[in-house]
Amino acid sequence: MQKDLLKMDDLSKEEILDILNLADQLKYEQKHGIEHHHLKGKSLGMIFEKSSTRTRVSFEVGMYQLGGNALFLSNKDLQIGRGEPIQDTARVLSRFLDGIMIRTYSQEDIEVLAKNSSIPIINGLTDEEHPCQVLADLMTIREYKNILEGLNVAFIGDGNNMANSLMVGCLKVGMNFSIASPENYTANEKYLNRAKEIAEKENVKFTKTTSPLEAAKNADVIITDVWASMGQEKEQLARIKAFNGFQVNDNLMSVAKNDAIVLHCLPAHREEEITTKVLEEHSSEIFDESENRLHAQKAVLVKLMK
C-alpha cells in the first residue's frame, strides 16, 4: 500500500479488501476486549478546517485504542491559519508526527500537503473526496450482505464528494453502481469518465441517470447524502427545489429489492433527502455504518503508520 490515502482511486481492489478484512478483525477484537496496540507511541495530527462529529471522534478514539495519541489542530491552532504556506507546515509537522489526517475544502491543498510531507497523509474529507467514509460504507454493506461482488448500489442525490468516492470504490470491488442526480447537479465529469473505465475493466454496470426510480430499481443498497453540503448553505433553498423528487422515501424503496439496505453518511436532513420513516426503519444499517468509521479508519491507520 502506498504512503497516503488522498482519494479512493489510490487503492486497488486488493488493497480495499485488505483494509476491510483488517477492519473486521479490529472490530471483533475491540468488541471482545482484546487490545491491539499496533501504533503504540505513535502520534496522529488531525487538521480540521471543516467541523466534524464522526471524523474527529472516530480518529481520536481509534488512535487511543491502537495505543497511540491524536492531536486536534484547527486553523486557530496552526500558523497555516495565518498564512504559513502548506509546504512549510507539512515539513514542520513531519518532524513531530507519525501521520496527519486532514479535513478541509480543497483537494489540491491535501495533494500539496502530501507532496511535501515525509509521513502518511489521510483524507478525512475534501469537497472532492471522502474515501474513509466509503471504506466504512463498504464494510457495512459486506456485514449485511456477506458479499460485495454483484450487488446493485444506487446513489440518490447530489454528485458530491460522497458520490465521487462511492463510484470508484463500489465499482472497483465488483458492484454495479447507479447514480441519479438532477441535471445541473451531476458528478464531476472526471469521476464519471473514471467510473466508466473501472466498470469496463471489472465487467460491471455503471449507470448515470436523472431518474431516481431508474437508479433504485432492483437495488440491494440505497445510499443518499444531504443536498447542500458544508459551504453550500446559501444554495439550500435552490437545491431543495432542484432535488424535488430525489427523496429516499417509501415510493423509491418500493422499486428496490425487498431486503435492500439504506445508508447515509450523516448528518441527515430528515424530510429532505430522506424521510424520518425510512431513516428509522433502516437505523440499524445507518448507525452501524457510522460506527464502522472507527474500525475502517483504524485499519487505514495501521496500514499506513505501523
Side-chain angles (χ1 to χ4, degrees):
M1 188 167 168
Q2 64 177 47
K3 178 172 78 78
D4 308 305
L5 176 56
L6 309 182
K7 56 187 184 300
M8 202 63 203
D9 220 5
D10 286 341
L11 301 172
S12 66
K13 176 180 181 178
E14 292 70 28
E15 287 171 332
I16 293 172
L17 296 176
D18 197 31
I19 289 169
L20 297 184
N21 291 339
L22 178 56
D24 287 343
Q25 178 188 330
L26 294 174
K27 183 174 184 176
Y28 174 86
E29 291 175 355
Q30 190 254 329
K31 296 292 185 185
H32 290 80
I34 303 170
E35 287 189 350
H36 39 244
H37 291 169
H38 300 295
L39 299 181
K40 187 175 182 180
K42 302 273 188 179
S43 296
L44 176 75
M46 306 187 303
I47 300 175
F48 283 89
E49 293 185 337
K50 284 188 173 187
S51 59
S52 165
T53 299
R54 281 149 290 276
T55 300
R56 178 177 178 180
V57 175
S58 55
F59 270 106
E60 198 160 328
V61 171
M63 278 300 293
Y64 173 79
Q65 291 179 356
L66 290 169
N69 71 296
L71 292 81
F72 175 81
L73 304 167
S74 70
N75 273 354
K76 295 177 182 177
D77 301 310
L78 296 171
Q79 294 297 332
I80 198 171
R82 297 174 57 196
E84 181 176 52
I86 295 174
Q87 297 93 316
D88 294 352
T89 298
R91 285 180 283 188
V92 169
L93 293 180
S94 292
R95 306 293 182 101
F96 300 140
L97 301 167
D98 301 290
I100 295 171
M101 185 284 301
I102 180 168
R103 183 178 173 93
T104 186
Y105 293 90
S106 168
Q107 183 71 20
E108 183 181 355
D109 284 352
I110 203 172
E111 302 276 352
V112 172
L113 183 69
K115 185 177 180 181
N116 291 275
S117 297
S118 59
I119 56 176
I121 306 298
I122 299 170
N123 182 349
L125 176 141
T126 64
D127 287 345
E128 195 170 309
E129 289 265 359
H130 202 354
C132 289
Q133 178 65 57
V134 171
L135 289 169
D137 291 358
L138 293 174
M139 179 181 180
T140 309
I141 294 168
R142 196 168 69 165
E143 282 182 345
Y144 276 83
K145 297 296 184 181
N146 298 314
I147 196 171
L148 293 174
E149 286 189 357
L151 293 179
N152 300 323
V153 179
F155 180 83
I156 312 296
D158 188 25
N160 58 12
N161 48 9
M162 275 303 301
N164 293 339
S165 293
L166 274 167
M167 277 189 275
V168 173
C170 290
L171 291 166
K172 275 196 174 186
V173 297
M175 305 166 87
N176 301 306
F177 190 87
S178 299
I179 178 170
S181 307
E183 194 63 56
N184 296 325
Y185 295 91
T186 190
N188 186 296
E189 199 67 30
K190 176 179 74 173
Y191 283 92
L192 293 173
N193 290 334
R194 179 62 181 138
K196 292 172 187 174
E197 289 177 7
I198 299 170
E200 185 175 349
K201 179 184 176 185
E202 298 296 332
N203 195 29
V204 292
K205 188 177 180 182
F206 172 66
T207 305
K208 169 186 167 288
T209 179
T210 56
S211 169
L213 292 177
E214 179 188 350
K217 188 175 181 181
N218 294 321
D220 297 287
V221 186
I222 301 284
I223 306 178
T224 191
D225 191 9
V226 294
W227 292 338
S229 299
M230 279 181 284
Q232 298 173 334
E233 288 81 5
K234 291 181 180 179
E235 303 174 29
Q236 182 79 17
L237 292 178
R239 283 174 170 266
I240 289 175
K241 185 177 179 180
F243 282 86
N244 183 37
F246 283 79
Q247 186 183 72
V248 176
N249 52 29
D250 283 345
N251 185 49
L252 184 95
M253 295 304 298
S254 71
V255 302
K257 291 183 180 176
N258 290 334
D259 62 347
I261 65 171
V262 175
L263 299 180
H264 191 308
C265 60
L266 301 179
H269 292 174
R270 295 170 183 239
E271 305 307 326
E272 286 185 18
E273 75 276 1
I274 188 170
T275 61
T276 297
K277 181 175 183 290
V278 172
L279 189 149
E280 291 299 338
E281 285 174 349
H282 295 272
S283 59
S284 294
E285 301 107 78
I286 290 169
F287 288 97
D288 280 343
E289 171 194 15
S290 187
E291 179 192 333
N292 283 340
R293 286 289 301 277
L294 171 66
H295 310 297
Q297 287 163 188
K298 282 166 68 177
V300 170
L301 289 167
V302 171
K303 290 291 182 184
L304 292 180
M305 290 175 59
K306 187 174 180 180

